[in-house]
Amino acid sequence: SKYAIAYDLIEAWTNVFSDVAEKDWFYGDVAYAVQSGLFSGTSNLTFAPQTSMTRVMLVTVLYRLAGEPSVKGMEKSFDDVKPGQWYTDAVIWAAEKGIVSGYDSKTFGPDDNITREQLVVILYRYTGESEPASSRQLMFADADEVSGWAATAMSWATTEQMISGKPGNALDPKGTATRAEVAAVLHRFLDK
């Protein structure tokens, strides 16, 4: 895969971002995401690692990962996804493939921040998995806060070590996923 970037390329990465330092826990993940063409900066000099990731940002990353397939013949499915936007084809593709769904049949919420449980559900659907890697119980302090619709995907993501807890042994399933966190999850996901 063109996304299987060797670690020596990450080490050779020339960091142009003023908000990403080599000491940051996410440095290698940002390097991976940028070197593989999945993410770009929010400007020429910033990555905005602590900025929340939106639903369309994630869908666009996965669309790039899939090679940006044609959406010709696929139907627009959400009223709040306008034609001709930078993310329109990505959302149409992801909805058609069953990777994303809306809040209802007409509302996608393109600019809404993605939660950690939404992130893992979308990745789980992207893989085409139908069963979790194991039936491991979620052993986190806030495991009871994981929505029922996200439980299988969260079990899969923690079993596969794509997502880990935050301080206090918390999953923070309804917390917003930052660009740095998504870069880290995608790095682990693509290394599997």
Side-chain angles (χ1 to χ4, degrees):
S1 163
K2 73 177 189 176
Y3 297 100
I5 305 298
Y7 283 95
D8 59 337
L9 291 179
I10 292 172
E11 290 175 10
W13 177 55
T14 302
N15 178 15
V16 297
F17 301 127
S18 61
D19 54 1
V20 176
E22 203 166 333
K23 64 179 175 42
D24 292 328
W25 68 264
F26 50 79
Y27 180 84
D29 301 314
V30 170
Y32 183 93
V34 171
Q35 288 285 80
S36 60
L38 296 175
F39 283 43
S40 57
T42 54
S43 77
N44 288 339
L45 300 175
T46 57
F47 184 79
Q50 301 307 326
T51 299
S52 300
M53 187 87 159
T54 65
R55 290 168 56 85
V56 294
M57 285 178 185
L58 178 63
V59 169
T60 300
V61 167
L62 295 177
Y63 183 60
R64 288 179 189 148
L65 182 61
E68 299 183 10
S70 171
V71 296
K72 189 174 182 178
M74 295 181 188
E75 292 187 29
K76 177 181 167 294
S77 54
F78 302 110
D79 290 344
D80 59 353
V81 175
K82 304 297 180 212
Q85 300 301 308
W86 58 270
Y87 55 79
T88 304
D89 287 356
V91 175
I92 291 170
W93 166 81
E96 180 79 16
K97 297 295 181 186
I99 296 166
V100 298
S101 57
Y103 297 120
D104 58 44
S105 64
K106 296 295 179 186
T107 309
F108 181 70
D111 295 321
D112 292 355
N113 294 334
I114 196 154
T115 65
R116 289 167 54 90
E117 65 183 4
Q118 289 173 354
L119 167 64
V120 298
V121 166
I122 290 171
L123 286 177
Y124 183 72
R125 290 177 181 160
Y126 179 83
T127 66
E129 292 280 349
S130 59
E131 295 296 327
S134 79
S135 58
R136 187 177 97 167
Q137 185 177 6
L138 294 172
M139 303 301 284
F140 294 88
D142 59 351
D144 60 333
E145 294 178 25
V146 175
S147 300
W149 52 265
T152 297
M154 191 63 83
S155 176
W156 167 78
T158 57
T159 299
E160 295 293 318
Q161 299 179 335
M162 282 182 264
I163 194 166
S164 57
K166 290 183 168 186
N169 192 35
L171 279 173
D172 191 22
K174 293 177 178 43
T176 300
T178 66
R179 285 171 51 86
E181 289 172 336
V182 174
V185 169
L186 286 171
H187 187 179
R188 294 172 197 146
F189 173 69
L190 292 171
D191 268 358
K192 294 284 178 194

